[in-house]
Amino acid sequence: IFESADGRHCRFLVMKRIIRILLVEDNDADVEMIRESLRQGGLSFILRHAANEADFVHELQEDSMDVILCDHGFPAFDGFKALELARTHHPEVPFIFVTGALGEDVAIASFKNGATDYVLKSRLTQLPHAVERALREVDDCAARKQLERDRDQLIHELKETLAMIKPLTGLLPVCADCK
């Protein structure tokens, strides 16, 4: 309930977006910590979990995720390989590293390779904000692309209209003073 400018009370039904998250993590305890952090951050989400490369590749083929969260250090499968696979299959899906440690050089390399963000496991309270920010950026990008398509369509329509009007210019009587 909120009070409007004219003093009336209004009710709103706010529907939260249910975020489809793919988590690539081989440690079950970390999966639960991440799940709890997202829950405490107020996110509504469905979490799918991949513990290894085969599971991750299978999940990538499902094509139903809004964001990918990925640990960096796996014994046989590292985060950069996961990032490469994600960019190949779903380049538009934000990819956030959630890792125990990420040195400055590795962080820079992750951004150069297309990661959206990274959050240290010691600072999981930042994870919900990172997810929301990444999704906002995706929404903003989609809106910007739609505006560009709309602009291009209007330009095309304007050119067509001008092309139809141009032959008519010689048919209109013009007074000597109007030239």
Side-chain angles (χ1 to χ4, degrees):
I1 298 177
F2 83 98
E3 189 170 317
S4 65
D6 62 1
R8 293 182 303 160
H9 291 288
C10 301
R11 288 184 180 261
F12 278 98
L13 174 61
V14 178
M15 301 209 36
K16 289 183 91 171
R17 173 181 183 176
I18 297 176
I19 304 166
R20 298 166 299 171
I21 300 172
L22 173 56
L23 173 60
V24 186
E25 173 61 64
D26 63 343
N27 182 311
D28 290 338
D30 287 348
V31 170
E32 289 311 311
M33 283 186 352
I34 291 167
R35 183 188 318 271
E36 187 58 27
S37 173
L38 295 167
R39 193 175 293 126
Q40 287 179 356
L43 298 183
S44 296
F45 61 92
I46 297 170
L47 185 72
R48 294 196 336 256
H49 173 229
N52 56 50
E53 183 176 5
D55 291 347
F56 181 58
V57 169
H58 174 75
E59 291 293 337
L60 286 176
Q61 295 169 0
E62 293 298 312
D63 193 33
S64 61
M65 68 205 72
D66 297 312
V67 65
I68 299 170
L69 307 178
C70 183
D71 190 6
H72 189 270
F74 287 92
F77 176 58
D78 74 1
F80 284 121
K81 177 67 173 168
L83 177 57
E84 179 184 329
L85 288 168
R87 289 293 153 252
T88 299
H89 290 82
H90 300 283
E92 73 289 348
V93 174
F95 188 101
I96 300 173
F97 278 114
V98 182
T99 187
L102 198 63
E104 186 176 328
D105 293 340
V106 177
I108 291 169
S110 69
F111 289 122
K112 285 183 178 178
N113 288 318
T116 307
D117 206 344
Y118 75 93
V119 175
L120 296 175
K121 289 180 182 176
S122 61
R123 297 184 176 198
L124 283 178
T125 56
Q126 297 176 354
L127 184 57
H129 304 294
V131 169
E132 289 173 329
R133 182 175 49 251
L135 293 174
R136 245 188 339 269
E137 288 173 5
V138 168
D139 291 345
D140 290 349
C141 182
R144 190 171 39 258
K145 286 180 180 179
Q146 182 61 47
L147 287 171
E148 289 171 359
R149 284 191 297 273
D150 292 348
R151 181 203 60 211
D152 292 345
Q153 179 63 31
L154 288 171
I155 290 171
H156 176 73
E157 291 173 9
L158 180 61
K159 286 180 180 178
E160 285 182 341
T161 303
L162 288 173
M164 290 187 314
I165 293 173
K166 192 172 184 177
L168 301 176
T169 56
L171 300 176
L172 299 175
V174 179
C175 69
D177 295 334
C178 298
K179 288 186 179 181

